[in-house]
Amino acid sequence: MKTNLEKIFKSQAEASHAWQQDFRLAGLKSFETQGLPTTKQEDWKYTSVKSLAETEFKLFEGAQEEASIKEDTLIQEEHYQLTLVGGIYQPKLSKLEGLPKGVQLLPLSQALQSEGDFLKEHLAKSLDARQRPFVALNEAFLNEGLFLKIEDHVVLDKAIEFCHVALSNGLASMSHPRILISLGKNAQATFIEHYTSVAGTQASWTNVASEFLLAEGSLLHHVRLQEESEANFYLNSSMTTLDQDARFNSFTFDLGAGLNRQEIIASIEAPGAHVALKGLYLARDRQHTDFQTLIHHRKPYGTSQELFKGILSDRAHGVFNGQIIVDPHAQKTASELTNKNLMLSREAEVDTKPLLKIFADDVKCSHGATIGRLDEDQLFYFQSRGIDSHLAKHLLTYAFAAELLSDLPWESLTAPLTRKLKSCLNLKDEVA
Amino acid sequence: MMLEIKKLHATVDGKEILKGLNLSIKAGEVHAIMGPNGSGKSTLASVLSGRDGYEVTSGEVLFEGKNLLSLQAEERARAGVFLAFQYPIEIPGVTNSYFMKASLNAIRQARGEPEVDAMDFLNLVKEKMALLKMDPKFLKRAVNEGFSGGEKKRNEVLQMALLEPKLCILDETDSGLDIDSLKIVAEGVNSLRSPDRAMLVITHYKRLLEYIVPDRIHVLQDGRIIHSGTKELADQLEEKGYDWIKEQAA
């Protein structure tokens, strides 16, 4: 990967504003300085990027193949949609019409032209690339992605779906989408990220970096579904900053990619903000899935709840590294962090480390992690009622996961996500 | 003969619990097994229902003349063996309604009967619930999750009523029941007594047998049946304990 990076970098069209070109160059320099992470680094201890490093990637060159991509939307209801294929914006697969006043939803390439001042002021201000080589690389290839800006007090009537289709033609390709969302005071929105891929092509690599800026009293519901092909690499770093009384309610559903690594950070920067992070990861075969989460309570009266569940089968490997930090003056913080893993095979592996770093003395925080197998008594109960052990195992696995799908922000999401879960577990639709 | 147990020896974790147990039950009969703690009552129930962790070292069990021990737990259930658990298992995330419908259809399929659809199932299960004075809201709750002791036992008998097994094994169904629940559960069980169904009622106390009156009572002691009698035996056991039988048997 490293060998041809500079060449690929130079092959990009020059950015239209000087600051943008500087931004990219700084990203490239930062990446080169940092180098690729190694398993000697604490937060990369269990995740090797060797296979990623050994693959020669190029930027996707939009051939006509995108025409063959059928619209793969997650929700059936009317919604706004912005679609990238191989990292390239697809107006025909997007629905941006009818946006209410006070809402700007644009492909990032357009926003870089028309919203340059705003972007210059906010881009990469919360998500720090200095300890994150892949975020630095994302900066180096700043070009496309999603820009959403909602003015004060605007409540978006429909959900927004960002659909990213990974695609390689010939050589392995990479895509570095960048997302910036800014919610004004008391604004509300539902944002769905959907990562998928076209099967049967070369491996590809999706390297996302996102920043969600939530102003006072705003509310962002967020769902991320990652279901790329098992041949693919998927990296994502997202940073959410919350002003006073803002709320971030996020659910990450991870099914795909051979190597998945997601870093999810939320920073409570004013009193009274609330963060709910939920996640579900299913890994099979030799999939490797790694979640690094951090909720940083910097100010008092913040609350956070985090629940991640993993289901690991075959020779899959899961990593969960969840951190809660409570700063010295972030008194009256209430925080819960839980990670539960269900191991369906003896060869599967999980490394979990929930960690609290509390520097305040008047807080209510708890954390815990479990790693377990299916309960033998429960299986026997099913069998004693005539239900075969195979179906019983799938049902118990489904029951383990279904809790996370029970209170999604957009009701119409429950059905499609439940269907995804059931099809992963080879269960019929009618179940439970 | 519905059930024939011949010289059954079984171990748990290498320790022999059943030591040559003999028992025969005809269709239409209700047999009770009584015995002190540790005599092997629940082990017998577990061995019959096919639970893992119980090793039969010798002897045989015939169900309607066929070898029961060679069948998987689910195959035994489909053949018509039902165990009402002493401690019913909680299954969060799976609704009682789904669980019972899946069970009923698995068993109907084994019998060569068509599956019941959602509507027919609902009508059927509600009818059985009325019998056990159960609120239909229990259908929507997760299997046994958060149920009281009495509710769990009623739920067991509800499943029994729904599945219409040939052989019902009730493992300490009276434990943890107040008198009102006991009466309701016993009524439910009694309503299932029929000429082509056999029951094996395992209990520690006489109390249950006042409501579910057995044809035969057996005393299990140290892994063997050491005494059998009619329903009056329960009174003697209540009055004199188990020691006099032990002495008699010795």
Side-chain angles (χ1 to χ4, degrees), chain A residues 259-277:
Chain A
L259 171 64
N260 168 73
R261 157 115 175 173
Q262 298 187 35
E263 188 183 16
I264 300 168
I265 311 157
S267 178
I268 291 178
E269 310 205 323
H274 176 69
V275 173
L277 293 186

Side-chain angles (χ1 to χ4, degrees), chain A residues 98-130:
Chain A
L99 285 160
K101 200 167 166 279
V103 178
Q104 277 179 290
L105 173 61
L106 299 167
L108 190 74
S109 51
Q110 282 178 30
L112 285 168
Q113 306 286 336
S114 62
E115 308 301 321
D117 292 345
F118 185 88
L119 281 166
K120 190 178 177 184
E121 194 183 332
H122 292 99
L123 200 63
K125 291 300 186 288
S126 60
L127 181 61
D128 190 343
R130 276 173 301 184

Side-chain angles (χ1 to χ4, degrees), chain A residues 375-378 380-391 395-396 398-400 402 427-428 430-432, chain B residues 49-51 73-74 77-78 82-83 85 89-94 98-99 102-103 106-107 143-144 156 159 163:
Chain A
D375 185 300
E376 293 292 330
D377 286 337
Q378 291 181 337
F380 176 65
Y381 197 57
F382 276 100
Q383 288 174 275
S384 79
R385 299 300 181 251
I387 298 166
D388 70 69
S389 59
H390 194 70
L391 175 60
L395 284 169
L396 285 173
Y398 173 75
F400 172 82
L427 284 172
K428 284 187 217 157
E430 61 183 45
V431 160
Chain B
S49 57
R51 195 173 199 141
E74 61 264 39
R78 291 171 193 171
F82 181 92
L83 171 67
F85 282 55
I89 309 296
E90 298 191 4
I91 305 181
V94 176
Y98 177 79
F99 180 71
S103 168
I107 282 165
V143 180
N144 291 322
E156 291 293 286
Q159 293 171 43
L163 301 177

Side-chain angles (χ1 to χ4, degrees), chain B residues 20 26 34 48 50 60 84 91 129 148 153 167-168 184 186-187 195 200 237 245:
Chain B
K26 289 198 192 97
M34 299 185 75
L48 292 178
E60 63 176 345
I91 305 181
M129 288 179 105
S148 72
K153 295 297 173 79
L167 173 66
C168 306
I184 293 165
E187 270 173 45
L200 180 61
L237 290 169
I245 298 180

